[in-house]
Amino acid sequence: LQIDNSFRVWGHWRWKIRPRYVYRAIRKDELRKIVAGSGIEAKAPKGKWNIFEHIVKGSRPEARKFDPFISTTEDIGVARGFMNGSDSGGLIRVDLNKVKGAEIRTWELTPKSNFEYQAIRIAGDEKEIAIKGFIPKDAIEIMEGLPWTKIKQ
């Protein structure tokens, strides 16, 4: 664990322990890629959105063109809450020590506008850690998946 006391959250200094593992509810298409030996790629790995746009607009159709981030959470309960609908592929755990992409811990962000404040509020409620670009297969453990996805890790 890495302890970091050098950041500010909405003007307050505090200690925060960087989690080693984060969680993500995955879609069926992501699960198929993991089972096939790939990792998970952002909707638009070279997209131009900043972290605030990702948080507020990441579920909109235009995210496929502009969103370079992958949402994860440090709270397994929050991740399970996103496991709904017919497109749910299950739940994964990601080892952040094996991820090379930029990792944005949303609790470190300081808003400069109402839009950014709204984004931080959403991300804070979801305890989001956004990963830029790609999560490699060796960083992923399938915790809950569809029955046809039983694979050895």
Side-chain angles (χ1 to χ4, degrees):
L1 293 177
Q2 173 185 349
I3 298 178
D4 182 356
N5 69 338
S6 62
F7 57 85
R8 249 174 94 135
V9 179
W10 297 310
H12 300 286
W13 293 93
R14 71 175 194 186
W15 286 83
K16 178 69 178 177
I17 298 174
R18 175 192 176 267
R20 176 170 179 187
Y21 298 103
V22 291
Y23 305 91
R24 176 176 171 79
I26 56 173
R27 300 181 310 269
K28 287 179 184 174
D29 65 303
E30 292 174 319
L31 183 58
R32 284 186 203 100
K33 289 177 184 175
I34 295 167
V35 171
S38 295
I40 297 175
E41 188 173 70
K43 294 172 188 163
K46 296 181 191 265
K48 302 297 182 199
W49 277 359
N50 65 36
I51 186 63
F52 301 107
E53 291 168 307
H54 157 75
I55 294 166
V56 175
K57 302 190 285 186
S59 296
R60 296 182 186 170
E62 64 265 28
R64 295 199 182 281
K65 293 181 184 177
F66 304 111
D67 190 356
F69 298 99
I70 302 165
S71 295
T72 67
T73 177
E74 61 181 312
D75 185 332
I76 194 170
V78 169
R80 278 199 176 104
F82 282 97
M83 288 177 58
N84 54 18
S86 62
D87 197 33
S88 178
L91 180 73
I92 61 169
R93 181 170 81 166
V94 177
D95 184 342
L96 290 177
N97 291 342
K98 296 178 180 179
V99 174
K100 304 280 189 259
E103 165 194 325
I104 299 176
R105 297 173 287 228
T106 56
W107 60 80
E108 294 180 349
L109 301 173
T110 302
K112 296 179 181 132
S113 69
N114 285 338
F115 179 80
E116 291 179 1
Y117 178 79
Q118 175 189 6
I120 290 172
R121 189 163 174 207
I122 292 166
D125 290 346
E126 295 173 357
K127 299 177 180 81
E128 179 168 354
I129 295 178
I131 297 169
K132 190 163 187 179
F134 184 73
I135 301 172
K137 168 70 170 90
D138 69 329
I140 297 170
E141 174 188 351
I142 297 174
M143 298 184 68
E144 299 172 20
L146 298 174
W148 54 269
T149 63
K150 298 281 185 192
I151 61 170
K152 293 183 180 178
Q153 294 289 322

